[in-house]
Amino acid sequence: MKQVTTTDPGGTSWTIRRRWLPWTVRWRGRGNAFHALDGADLAGSFDDLLGMPLLLLLVGALLVIFLVLPIVLLIVELVVTVLVVAVAVVVRILFGRPWLVDAFEGDGNKPRYVWGVPGWSASGRAVDDVAGQISSGTSFPIVRGGKLVEGTLSSGPS
């Protein structure tokens, strides 16, 4: 994946990249899953002989739910992503599907502009061209040979 970071004359940071997939792989687990087990009173209430196996069973179930399951899901998603990327690259090459070039303003999650650019090398040049235009203060970056998929002429960078 080609990615360039630049700054416009107004000081806003921009990230321009060639997109492989429409989604990103991310950790799906909870942040601090074991905050309920922080207190010593929880262990103190299980002081009989039956309480300790129940506590171990509870801790084991929490480990499976909040640690093992998200790791398994992450691995499955990574394998699926690798397979989809391989198929997507072959399909894009065989059928001439355009590569998506995104321009993100600041730390945004959603791209401000998206262009469809046919060809691997042309999409790489488009990333460099857009970065150069944004850093020079162009009101709306134009990609030669590309089609604007998302974004408008009136919402260009200031």
Side-chain angles (χ1 to χ4, degrees):
M1 173 170 70
K2 181 166 186 158
Q3 181 171 317
V4 176
T5 303
T6 189
T7 306
D8 67 13
T12 303
S13 175
W14 286 78
T15 302
I16 300 91
R17 68 179 179 139
R18 174 177 34 217
R19 187 188 329 171
W20 290 65
L21 294 174
W23 72 86
T24 58
V25 177
R26 63 192 177 280
W27 174 254
R28 296 186 192 281
R30 306 284 186 241
N32 185 3
F34 301 107
H35 65 289
L37 299 178
D38 287 343
D41 56 342
L42 180 64
S45 64
F46 289 100
D47 53 358
D48 60 332
L49 292 177
L50 184 61
M52 188 54 75
L54 289 177
L55 178 64
L56 291 175
L57 185 64
L58 175 68
V59 170
L62 288 174
L63 281 174
V64 167
I65 291 171
F66 292 110
L67 186 66
V68 175
L69 190 59
I71 288 173
V72 168
L73 290 175
L74 179 68
I75 290 170
V76 167
E77 189 172 1
L78 284 172
V79 168
V80 169
T81 300
V82 168
L83 292 174
V84 169
V85 166
V87 169
V89 168
V90 170
V91 167
R92 285 185 188 276
I93 291 170
L94 290 178
F95 296 109
R97 300 284 301 165
W99 292 92
L100 297 177
V101 174
D102 300 330
F104 293 88
E105 181 180 14
D107 295 332
N109 281 343
K110 188 173 189 268
R112 181 144 178 199
Y113 303 110
V114 180
W115 295 270
V117 182
W120 178 260
S121 58
S123 64
R125 283 191 305 271
V127 169
D128 293 331
D129 289 347
V130 169
Q133 291 177 39
I134 287 174
S135 64
S136 68
T138 302
S139 62
F140 178 75
I142 296 174
V143 175
R144 288 184 297 272
K147 179 182 176 187
L148 186 66
V149 176
E150 189 176 315
T152 61
L153 290 172
S154 62
S155 65
S158 43

PDB file of all heavy atoms in Angstrom, residues 1 9 15-16 37 56 59 70 74 77 85 88 97 100 118 120 125 135 138 140 147 149 153:
ATOM      1  N   MET A   1       0.854  -1.170   0.000  1.00  0.00           N
ATOM      2  CA  MET A   1       0.000   0.000   0.000  1.00  0.00           C
ATOM      3  C   MET A   1       0.898   1.230   0.000  1.00  0.00           C
ATOM      4  O   MET A   1       1.803   1.348   0.805  1.00  0.00           O
ATOM      5  CB  MET A   1      -0.904  -0.021   1.230  1.00  0.00           C
ATOM      6  CG  MET A   1      -1.691   1.252   1.385  1.00  0.00           C
ATOM      7  SD  MET A   1      -2.979   1.215   2.626  1.00  0.00           S
ATOM      8  CE  MET A   1      -2.070   1.177   4.130  1.00  0.00           C
ATOM      9  N   PRO A   9      -1.040  24.427   3.132  1.00  0.00           N
ATOM     10  CA  PRO A   9      -0.536  25.716   3.624  1.00  0.00           C
ATOM     11  C   PRO A   9      -1.212  26.216   4.892  1.00  0.00           C
ATOM     12  O   PRO A   9      -0.643  26.998   5.645  1.00  0.00           O
ATOM     13  CB  PRO A   9      -0.812  26.673   2.449  1.00  0.00           C
ATOM     14  CG  PRO A   9      -0.836  25.808   1.244  1.00  0.00           C
ATOM     15  CD  PRO A   9      -1.403  24.509   1.704  1.00  0.00           C
ATOM     16  N   THR A  15      -3.413  12.675   4.733  1.00  0.00           N
ATOM     17  CA  THR A  15      -2.863  11.368   4.392  1.00  0.00           C
ATOM     18  C   THR A  15      -3.507  10.920   3.093  1.00  0.00           C
ATOM     19  O   THR A  15      -4.734  10.869   2.990  1.00  0.00           O
ATOM     20  CB  THR A  15      -3.144  10.341   5.504  1.00  0.00           C
ATOM     21  OG1 THR A  15      -2.576  10.818   6.725  1.00  0.00           O
ATOM     22  CG2 THR A  15      -2.550   8.987   5.165  1.00  0.00           C
ATOM     23  N   ILE A  16      -2.680  10.598   2.108  1.00  0.00           N
ATOM     24  CA  ILE A  16      -3.158  10.139   0.811  1.00  0.00           C
ATOM     25  C   ILE A  16      -2.652   8.727   0.626  1.00  0.00           C
ATOM     26  O   ILE A  16      -1.462   8.462   0.832  1.00  0.00           O
ATOM     27  CB  ILE A  16      -2.677  11.049  -0.331  1.00  0.00           C
ATOM     28  CG1 ILE A  16      -3.180  12.490  -0.129  1.00  0.00           C
ATOM     29  CG2 ILE A  16      -3.194  10.538  -1.666  1.00  0.00           C
ATOM     30  CD1 ILE A  16      -2.263  13.352   0.614  1.00  0.00           C
ATOM     31  N   LEU A  37     -12.903  -8.233  38.327  1.00  0.00           N
ATOM     32  CA  LEU A  37     -12.172  -9.151  39.199  1.00  0.00           C
ATOM     33  C   LEU A  37     -11.101  -8.441  40.016  1.00  0.00           C
ATOM     34  O   LEU A  37     -10.265  -9.087  40.615  1.00  0.00           O
ATOM     35  CB  LEU A  37     -11.518 -10.256  38.355  1.00  0.00           C
ATOM     36  CG  LEU A  37     -12.482 -11.132  37.558  1.00  0.00           C
ATOM     37  CD1 LEU A  37     -11.700 -12.142  36.738  1.00  0.00           C
ATOM     38  CD2 LEU A  37     -13.445 -11.837  38.481  1.00  0.00           C
ATOM     39  N   LEU A  56     -12.688 -20.519  39.572  1.00  0.00           N
ATOM     40  CA  LEU A  56     -11.809 -20.903  38.465  1.00  0.00           C
ATOM     41  C   LEU A  56     -12.596 -21.055  37.164  1.00  0.00           C
ATOM     42  O   LEU A  56     -12.127 -20.658  36.090  1.00  0.00           O
ATOM     43  CB  LEU A  56     -11.070 -22.190  38.801  1.00  0.00           C
ATOM     44  CG  LEU A  56     -10.023 -22.085  39.912  1.00  0.00           C
ATOM     45  CD1 LEU A  56      -9.448 -23.460  40.227  1.00  0.00           C
ATOM     46  CD2 LEU A  56      -8.929 -21.113  39.531  1.00  0.00           C
ATOM     47  N   VAL A  59     -13.384 -17.482  35.949  1.00  0.00           N
ATOM     48  CA  VAL A  59     -12.188 -16.848  35.372  1.00  0.00           C
ATOM     49  C   VAL A  59     -11.862 -17.483  34.020  1.00  0.00           C
ATOM     50  O   VAL A  59     -11.540 -16.786  33.047  1.00  0.00           O
ATOM     51  CB  VAL A  59     -10.988 -16.948  36.345  1.00  0.00           C
ATOM     52  CG1 VAL A  59      -9.693 -16.528  35.664  1.00  0.00           C
ATOM     53  CG2 VAL A  59     -11.246 -16.093  37.582  1.00  0.00           C
ATOM     54  N   PRO A  70     -11.713 -13.253  20.845  1.00  0.00           N
ATOM     55  CA  PRO A  70     -11.274 -12.158  19.971  1.00  0.00           C
ATOM     56  C   PRO A  70      -9.985 -12.479  19.189  1.00  0.00           C
ATOM     57  O   PRO A  70      -9.853 -12.073  18.037  1.00  0.00           O
ATOM     58  CB  PRO A  70     -11.046 -10.987  20.930  1.00  0.00           C
ATOM     59  CG  PRO A  70     -11.942 -11.268  22.069  1.00  0.00           C
ATOM     60  CD  PRO A  70     -11.934 -12.760  22.217  1.00  0.00           C
ATOM     61  N   LEU A  74      -9.766 -12.493  15.209  1.00  0.00           N
ATOM     62  CA  LEU A  74      -8.758 -11.687  14.529  1.00  0.00           C
ATOM     63  C   LEU A  74      -7.974 -12.524  13.528  1.00  0.00           C
ATOM     64  O   LEU A  74      -7.739 -12.103  12.394  1.00  0.00           O
ATOM     65  CB  LEU A  74      -7.806 -11.051  15.547  1.00  0.00           C
ATOM     66  CG  LEU A  74      -6.688 -10.192  14.960  1.00  0.00           C
ATOM     67  CD1 LEU A  74      -7.264  -8.933  14.321  1.00  0.00           C
ATOM     68  CD2 LEU A  74      -5.679  -9.837  16.022  1.00  0.00           C
ATOM     69  N   GLU A  77     -10.192 -13.283  10.568  1.00  0.00           N
ATOM     70  CA  GLU A  77     -10.339 -12.089   9.737  1.00  0.00           C
ATOM     71  C   GLU A  77      -9.069 -11.798   8.945  1.00  0.00           C
ATOM     72  O   GLU A  77      -9.136 -11.396   7.779  1.00  0.00           O
ATOM     73  CB  GLU A  77     -10.721 -10.886  10.596  1.00  0.00           C
ATOM     74  CG  GLU A  77     -11.100  -9.681   9.759  1.00  0.00           C
ATOM     75  CD  GLU A  77     -11.661  -8.536  10.579  1.00  0.00           C
ATOM     76  OE1 GLU A  77     -11.741  -8.649  11.819  1.00  0.00           O
ATOM     77  OE2 GLU A  77     -12.016  -7.524   9.962  1.00  0.00           O
ATOM     78  N   VAL A  85      -7.607  -9.994  -0.539  1.00  0.00           N
ATOM     79  CA  VAL A  85      -6.625  -9.122  -1.193  1.00  0.00           C
ATOM     80  C   VAL A  85      -6.037  -9.824  -2.409  1.00  0.00           C
ATOM     81  O   VAL A  85      -5.906  -9.222  -3.488  1.00  0.00           O
ATOM     82  CB  VAL A  85      -5.509  -8.699  -0.205  1.00  0.00           C
ATOM     83  CG1 VAL A  85      -4.330  -8.096  -0.935  1.00  0.00           C
ATOM     84  CG2 VAL A  85      -6.053  -7.714   0.803  1.00  0.00           C
ATOM     85  N   ALA A  88      -8.680  -9.852  -5.040  1.00  0.00           N
ATOM     86  CA  ALA A  88      -8.940  -8.486  -5.517  1.00  0.00           C
ATOM     87  C   ALA A  88      -7.841  -8.006  -6.454  1.00  0.00           C
ATOM     88  O   ALA A  88      -8.131  -7.363  -7.473  1.00  0.00           O
ATOM     89  CB  ALA A  88      -9.076  -7.531  -4.331  1.00  0.00           C
ATOM     90  N   ARG A  97     -10.175  -3.088 -13.204  1.00  0.00           N
ATOM     91  CA  ARG A  97     -10.909  -2.316 -12.194  1.00  0.00           C
ATOM     92  C   ARG A  97     -10.000  -1.243 -11.602  1.00  0.00           C
ATOM     93  O   ARG A  97      -8.820  -1.482 -11.370  1.00  0.00           O
ATOM     94  CB  ARG A  97     -11.395  -3.231 -11.070  1.00  0.00           C
ATOM     95  CG  ARG A  97     -12.326  -4.344 -11.509  1.00  0.00           C
ATOM     96  CD  ARG A  97     -13.698  -3.873 -11.795  1.00  0.00           C
ATOM     97  NE  ARG A  97     -14.227  -3.245 -10.591  1.00  0.00           N
ATOM     98  CZ  ARG A  97     -15.270  -2.490 -10.568  1.00  0.00           C
ATOM     99  NH1 ARG A  97     -15.933  -2.234 -11.649  1.00  0.00           N
ATOM    100  NH2 ARG A  97     -15.688  -1.955  -9.446  1.00  0.00           N
ATOM    101  N   LEU A 100      -8.589   2.481  -5.711  1.00  0.00           N
ATOM    102  CA  LEU A 100      -9.136   3.641  -5.019  1.00  0.00           C
ATOM    103  C   LEU A 100      -8.018   4.405  -4.334  1.00  0.00           C
ATOM    104  O   LEU A 100      -7.195   3.829  -3.624  1.00  0.00           O
ATOM    105  CB  LEU A 100     -10.187   3.205  -3.998  1.00  0.00           C
ATOM    106  CG  LEU A 100     -11.417   2.528  -4.594  1.00  0.00           C
ATOM    107  CD1 LEU A 100     -12.356   2.064  -3.497  1.00  0.00           C
ATOM    108  CD2 LEU A 100     -12.139   3.452  -5.550  1.00  0.00           C
ATOM    109  N   PRO A 118      -7.490   3.765 -12.758  1.00  0.00           N
ATOM    110  CA  PRO A 118      -7.122   2.477 -13.350  1.00  0.00           C
ATOM    111  C   PRO A 118      -5.612   2.324 -13.451  1.00  0.00           C
ATOM    112  O   PRO A 118      -4.909   3.265 -13.812  1.00  0.00           O
ATOM    113  CB  PRO A 118      -7.775   2.505 -14.738  1.00  0.00           C
ATOM    114  CG  PRO A 118      -8.068   3.930 -15.022  1.00  0.00           C
ATOM    115  CD  PRO A 118      -8.141   4.650 -13.724  1.00  0.00           C
ATOM    116  N   TRP A 120      -2.052   0.085 -11.632  1.00  0.00           N
ATOM    117  CA  TRP A 120      -1.251   0.113 -10.407  1.00  0.00           C
ATOM    118  C   TRP A 120      -0.303   1.303 -10.381  1.00  0.00           C
ATOM    119  O   TRP A 120      -0.267   2.065  -9.423  1.00  0.00           O
ATOM    120  CB  TRP A 120      -0.482  -1.202 -10.296  1.00  0.00           C
ATOM    121  CG  TRP A 120       0.418  -1.277  -9.118  1.00  0.00           C
ATOM    122  CD1 TRP A 120       1.768  -1.078  -9.098  1.00  0.00           C
ATOM    123  CD2 TRP A 120       0.050  -1.551  -7.772  1.00  0.00           C
ATOM    124  NE1 TRP A 120       2.257  -1.221  -7.837  1.00  0.00           N
ATOM    125  CE2 TRP A 120       1.216  -1.521  -6.991  1.00  0.00           C
ATOM    126  CE3 TRP A 120      -1.166  -1.837  -7.149  1.00  0.00           C
ATOM    127  CZ2 TRP A 120       1.216  -1.754  -5.635  1.00  0.00           C
ATOM    128  CZ3 TRP A 120      -1.152  -2.074  -5.786  1.00  0.00           C
ATOM    129  CH2 TRP A 120       0.022  -2.023  -5.049  1.00  0.00           C
ATOM    130  N   ARG A 125       1.176   7.095  -8.943  1.00  0.00           N
ATOM    131  CA  ARG A 125       1.463   8.481  -9.352  1.00  0.00           C
ATOM    132  C   ARG A 125       0.384   9.429  -8.851  1.00  0.00           C
ATOM    133  O   ARG A 125       0.665  10.567  -8.468  1.00  0.00           O
ATOM    134  CB  ARG A 125       1.572   8.570 -10.874  1.00  0.00           C
ATOM    135  CG  ARG A 125       2.876   8.049 -11.421  1.00  0.00           C
ATOM    136  CD  ARG A 125       3.048   8.394 -12.895  1.00  0.00           C
ATOM    137  NE  ARG A 125       1.946   7.936 -13.739  1.00  0.00           N
ATOM    138  CZ  ARG A 125       1.873   6.749 -14.317  1.00  0.00           C
ATOM    139  NH1 ARG A 125       2.851   5.871 -14.132  1.00  0.00           N
ATOM    140  NH2 ARG A 125       0.843   6.426 -15.069  1.00  0.00           N
ATOM    141  N   SER A 135      -0.142  20.031  -0.802  1.00  0.00           N
ATOM    142  CA  SER A 135       0.919  20.786  -0.127  1.00  0.00           C
ATOM    143  C   SER A 135       1.177  22.139  -0.794  1.00  0.00           C
ATOM    144  O   SER A 135       1.628  23.075  -0.140  1.00  0.00           O
ATOM    145  CB  SER A 135       2.210  19.968  -0.062  1.00  0.00           C
ATOM    146  OG  SER A 135       2.703  19.728  -1.356  1.00  0.00           O
ATOM    147  N   THR A 138      -3.498  23.775  -3.664  1.00  0.00           N
ATOM    148  CA  THR A 138      -4.548  23.664  -4.660  1.00  0.00           C
ATOM    149  C   THR A 138      -5.898  23.521  -3.956  1.00  0.00           C
ATOM    150  O   THR A 138      -6.034  22.748  -3.016  1.00  0.00           O
ATOM    151  CB  THR A 138      -4.298  22.440  -5.570  1.00  0.00           C
ATOM    152  OG1 THR A 138      -3.034  22.585  -6.189  1.00  0.00           O
ATOM    153  CG2 THR A 138      -5.375  22.304  -6.627  1.00  0.00           C
ATOM    154  N   PHE A 140      -8.684  22.248  -5.023  1.00  0.00           N
ATOM    155  CA  PHE A 140      -9.264  20.924  -5.210  1.00  0.00           C
ATOM    156  C   PHE A 140      -8.291  20.069  -6.003  1.00  0.00           C
ATOM    157  O   PHE A 140      -7.987  20.382  -7.150  1.00  0.00           O
ATOM    158  CB  PHE A 140     -10.599  21.002  -5.950  1.00  0.00           C
ATOM    159  CG  PHE A 140     -11.205  19.653  -6.191  1.00  0.00           C
ATOM    160  CD1 PHE A 140     -11.803  18.962  -5.155  1.00  0.00           C
ATOM    161  CD2 PHE A 140     -11.140  19.067  -7.434  1.00  0.00           C
ATOM    162  CE1 PHE A 140     -12.341  17.709  -5.368  1.00  0.00           C
ATOM    163  CE2 PHE A 140     -11.676  17.811  -7.650  1.00  0.00           C
ATOM    164  CZ  PHE A 140     -12.287  17.138  -6.616  1.00  0.00           C
ATOM    165  N   LYS A 147     -11.262   9.141 -11.787  1.00  0.00           N
ATOM    166  CA  LYS A 147     -12.633   9.627 -11.658  1.00  0.00           C
ATOM    167  C   LYS A 147     -12.937   9.830 -10.182  1.00  0.00           C
ATOM    168  O   LYS A 147     -12.704   8.937  -9.367  1.00  0.00           O
ATOM    169  CB  LYS A 147     -13.590   8.605 -12.262  1.00  0.00           C
ATOM    170  CG  LYS A 147     -15.035   9.005 -12.158  1.00  0.00           C
ATOM    171  CD  LYS A 147     -15.924   7.927 -12.740  1.00  0.00           C
ATOM    172  CE  LYS A 147     -17.374   8.319 -12.535  1.00  0.00           C
ATOM    173  NZ  LYS A 147     -18.272   7.247 -12.929  1.00  0.00           N
ATOM    174  N   VAL A 149     -14.848   9.609  -7.022  1.00  0.00           N
ATOM    175  CA  VAL A 149     -15.884   8.689  -6.557  1.00  0.00           C
ATOM    176  C   VAL A 149     -16.637   9.288  -5.373  1.00  0.00           C
ATOM    177  O   VAL A 149     -17.838   9.134  -5.240  1.00  0.00           O
ATOM    178  CB  VAL A 149     -15.266   7.333  -6.152  1.00  0.00           C
ATOM    179  CG1 VAL A 149     -16.303   6.388  -5.582  1.00  0.00           C
ATOM    180  CG2 VAL A 149     -14.559   6.698  -7.330  1.00  0.00           C
ATOM    181  N   LEU A 153     -16.331  19.255  -5.737  1.00  0.00           N
ATOM    182  CA  LEU A 153     -15.464  20.388  -6.051  1.00  0.00           C
ATOM    183  C   LEU A 153     -15.600  21.506  -5.044  1.00  0.00           C
ATOM    184  O   LEU A 153     -14.650  22.198  -4.724  1.00  0.00           O
ATOM    185  CB  LEU A 153     -15.803  20.932  -7.455  1.00  0.00           C
ATOM    186  CG  LEU A 153     -15.421  20.045  -8.626  1.00  0.00           C
ATOM    187  CD1 LEU A 153     -16.003  20.617  -9.900  1.00  0.00           C
ATOM    188  CD2 LEU A 153     -13.918  19.933  -8.730  1.00  0.00           C
TER     189      LEU A 153
END
